[in-house]
Amino acid sequence: MSDRDQEKKPLSLNRSKLELSKTVEAGQVRQNFSHGRSKSVTVEVRKKRTFEKNESGRFREVKKDIVAEQAPVETPAPEAKKEPVEEPKSRPAAEDHGNLTDSERAARMAALKAAEERRKQEEADAEIRAREEAARKAAEEEARKAEEAKAAEAAKAAEAEAKDKDEVSVEDVEKQLAASTAKGKTSKPKPAATPKAKEDDVIMGEPAEPLVPEERRRAAPATAKPKSRKEQDEEDARKAARKRAEEEAQGRANRGKADDGRRRGKLSIANAMTGDEGGRRRSMASIKRQQAKAKARAMGPQKPKEKIVRDVTIPDVITVQELANRMAERAADVIKTLMSMGVMATINQSLDPDTAQLVVEEFGHNVKRVSDADVEEALVVADDSEEQLVGRPPVVTVMGHVDHGKTSLLDALRSTDVAGGEAGGITQHIGAYQVTMATGSKITFIDTPGHAAFTEMRSRGAKVTDIVVLVVAADDSVMPQTIEAISHAKAAGVPMIVAINKIDKPGANPSKVKTELLQHEVVVEEMGGDVQAVEVSAKQRTGLTELEEAILLQAEVLDLKANPQRVADGVVVEARMEKGRGSVATVLVQRGTLRTGDIFVTGPEWGRVRALVDDHGTRVQEAIPGMPVEVTGLNGVPSAGDDFVVVENEAKAREVSDFRQRRIRETQAAAMKKSALENMFSQSGDVKELPIVIKGDVQGSVEALIGTLQKLGNEEVSVRVLHSGVGGINESDVTLARASNALIIGFNVRANQQAREQARRDNVDIRYYSIIYDVADDIKKMLSGMLSPEVREKFLGYAEIRDIFTISGNKIAGCMVTEGIVKRGAGVRLLRDDVVIHSGELSTLRRFKDEVKEVREGYECGMSFAKYNDLQVGDMIECFENEEIAVEL
């Protein structure tokens, strides 16, 4: 390069680039973990600017170091730790690392290595000193134990010698004891002084002293000069320092070689800068375990604990885990006991009470057998005494055939028009009413439907009644449902009063009614019996007073009484779901007084009485025996005929309700399982089912519908009720019907708007009914349409084979029709000696050379069989056809 080029070179700074001076001083330390892994941590020293007043009152700037720990770096740092050094203020902080020369950096690294080697050497020396100190202490402990043993032996020997010789004095025994102790002391090997012990003595400022036995300390003269408070404090401080030094040495000695370099405890900035990262320390749990073991050894062998015998309650079904918990035994031991008994069970498997009892007796506990049904025993209350009983109104059930005037008669008694509100003029609900007579006496009437579908409802009505009024129309006389009502009354064991209604109609014959009742063992008083018979006319309101008197007379004979001061119980006459009121049940109180707020159980449901409404729609606060009321507050719709009992608290009600629901589920599951097995073996899967969903206004109507529809069908078709309930038709009902291709039947209920729209979208058929006859007729027609038509065979005629012709390998029979007609395409049978040897169809039917459809009697024809040629002269051909006939249920 020429001088000219050098002159043209631009001027520049000595540094390659401009940069800000560093505001922190950084260093790295090595962080070690217990599992052998380590990482480098960068430690910074930042300069903090603060101001403080000087002597003249002015503020001056003071810089302080702030040590901060940064994130770990990826590259491993050297093992030595770097101490941050504050440089003079005149020197920039950036020159600490950036301006070091190679010789300075090498000198600094050499100093760091020397410091690291010095630290390792100190740790090795400390470990050696700790081991020597531990050995010295172990030797001293062994010597002390040997001294104590020799002293004890000498004392025993002295005592024995004193007993043998009375002249031996106590002073001689003490001299011998002191001599033996001194002898043991002189014979004890003196441990070598370790460097650590010498160092501790120098630190404490006094030479190490040999241990003084307890006996010699006790024998010290009492004339010793007492120590001052200051001397005592200094001595206590020296002892504490010596104890800490011994504990640290013991801790270093307990660390193994594999634990060298491992850090224990939390890493702090001070530990990282000073290199004091702590050592392994003994946990508190270990110390407690050692203390417990020492205490157990000191107490000696303990007696085995006595087995606690418990009273174990065993219900009808109990799991292995629950049984083990009640016995306070391990579940594994219970399973072993079961295996020894030949029962393989898991921890969650249920055991029968007999097996559980054997297990409990095997473990030595007492057995107490209980049953889940015991929860219902608390519902039974003891009978009342005669002093507590008071008179109550009679409960009268009105029974009879359809359209014999039961409801009209009750309306005449109540002076109301209930029949006008019934669909089709028939009663489809059980109604309960209370009528007050002119004399002030009260009678409770229960009106039951008379149709055959309501047999179960009538039977429930007979169970709660005191007197049965059998209504028989004078023009129709005894009918099938009349006979059924007589049977229910006899089964219930209640007296009967016959009310012969419609005596005002032309053709009425009360005598015929009384005579026909004799066939069913109902003998009226006019014929020498004990059954009262009253002729009434509900339309003309005649004979009503005589009927009331007959009822009150019969009630007086029965002497009906009840205790109104006890908890109420009764029976559910009817139940339904009402919008805005929820589940509503018509309850007849039989005993006690039902009040608002009472907690009750009825069947599988329970609730709290929210409101009581009588038969006139008036809200009342309580209901006495014999009074029918509507109860709201149930959590579900019970079944008509369920018992109604008031309990003491909500917990008891829940317990009884849960038990009854569980029992119903088990019964249904068993019935379904049995039905499935029966269907598996008895049916081949050819049965056609009509799925339906039934929603009604009251529970009694729904049950009557189910009972009626399930009676329809035969071995080929049947009705399957997918779901039934009380209340309007909702979207879930439509969804269920769509998934199962079912029909929805609404009895006195309607579908809401959402359900109607969904049914229209999904093409689900919803049919509304208010009379049970129409439901039965429509379902019957549907089932009839599902039946396979009946195939019947129709005879057509006979033909005799007169000759056989063979054309192209096929035999054609020349026949004469002897009876009836022969049709082409009809079925034929070949008879030989009146025995059927072939059944098939005609392939050819000709009259001369022409194909014809049929040939009548007295004409000749030619016939050939399809795929059959074994024809002989003299055989007879029988012609027939099959026709299908629709089958009805």
Side-chain angles (χ1 to χ4, degrees), residues 376 379 569-572 587 590 600-605 638-646 656 660 663:
E376 293 187 334
L379 302 179
D569 60 11
V571 66
V572 176
V587 178
Q590 294 176 318
F600 61 89
V601 177
T602 169
E605 310 297 339
S639 299
D642 287 341
D643 57 343
F644 183 94
V645 183
V646 175
V656 177
R660 291 180 175 177
R663 184 172 57 186

Side-chain angles (χ1 to χ4, degrees), residues 384-395 434 440-444 466 552 555-565 589-593 623-627:
D384 303 314
S385 60
E386 289 293 334
E387 294 79 9
Q388 297 173 332
L389 299 178
V390 296
R392 65 171 179 83
V395 179
Q434 195 169 55
S441 302
K442 294 183 178 181
I443 302 176
T444 300
D466 301 318
L552 293 176
E556 187 178 351
V557 173
L558 294 176
D559 191 19
L560 302 173
K561 293 182 179 181
N563 178 18
Q565 303 301 326
V589 181
Q590 294 176 318
R591 296 183 299 178
T593 301
I624 60 176
M627 180 178 177

Side-chain angles (χ1 to χ4, degrees), residues 488-618:
H488 289 315
K490 290 182 178 180
V494 294
M496 186 186 308
I497 298 175
V498 178
I500 303 174
N501 196 15
K502 301 183 181 180
I503 59 173
D504 57 321
K505 292 187 69 174
N509 190 357
S511 300
K512 181 183 177 182
V513 174
K514 298 175 183 178
T515 304
E516 290 187 358
L517 287 175
L518 293 174
Q519 302 176 5
H520 306 286
E521 300 179 358
V522 177
V523 184
V524 299
E525 292 179 345
E526 297 177 4
M527 297 182 178
D530 56 353
V531 178
Q532 301 182 68
V534 182
E535 298 179 6
V536 297
S537 173
K539 189 174 182 180
Q540 301 295 332
R541 295 181 180 274
T542 59
L544 299 181
T545 305
E546 290 79 2
L547 180 59
E548 293 173 358
E549 291 177 354
I551 293 173
L552 293 176
L553 178 61
Q554 188 65 53
E556 187 178 351
V557 173
L558 294 176
D559 191 19
L560 302 173
K561 293 182 179 181
N563 178 18
Q565 303 301 326
R566 58 178 289 170
V567 293
D569 60 11
V571 66
V572 176
V573 178
E574 189 53 86
R576 64 186 180 276
M577 181 73 72
E578 285 190 10
K579 186 176 182 180
R581 298 179 68 191
S583 301
V584 180
T586 302
V587 178
L588 177 63
V589 181
Q590 294 176 318
R591 296 183 299 178
T593 301
L594 181 63
R595 297 179 177 85
T596 304
D598 288 346
I599 301 173
F600 61 89
V601 177
T602 169
E605 310 297 339
W606 71 278
R608 185 188 295 270
V609 178
R610 203 163 55 216
L612 296 174
V613 181
D614 62 5
D615 57 319
H616 298 288
T618 306

Side-chain angles (χ1 to χ4, degrees), residues 102 222 234 358 441 567 714 779:
D102 295 338
E234 291 177 356
L358 293 176
S441 302
V567 293
N714 52 21
I779 298 299

Side-chain angles (χ1 to χ4, degrees), residues 170-219:
V170 179
E171 290 78 3
D172 297 337
V173 174
E174 290 180 354
K175 290 179 180 179
Q176 293 179 4
L177 181 59
S180 60
T181 304
K183 183 179 179 182
K185 184 68 178 178
T186 55
S187 61
K188 180 183 66 172
K190 185 176 181 180
T194 60
K196 177 64 179 175
K198 294 179 180 179
E199 183 180 351
D200 293 342
D201 294 340
V202 172
I203 291 174
M204 299 307 159
E206 60 183 18
E209 296 178 2
L211 290 175
V212 181
E214 187 68 23
E215 294 82 356
R216 295 183 60 183
R217 268 194 235 112
R218 243 188 260 116

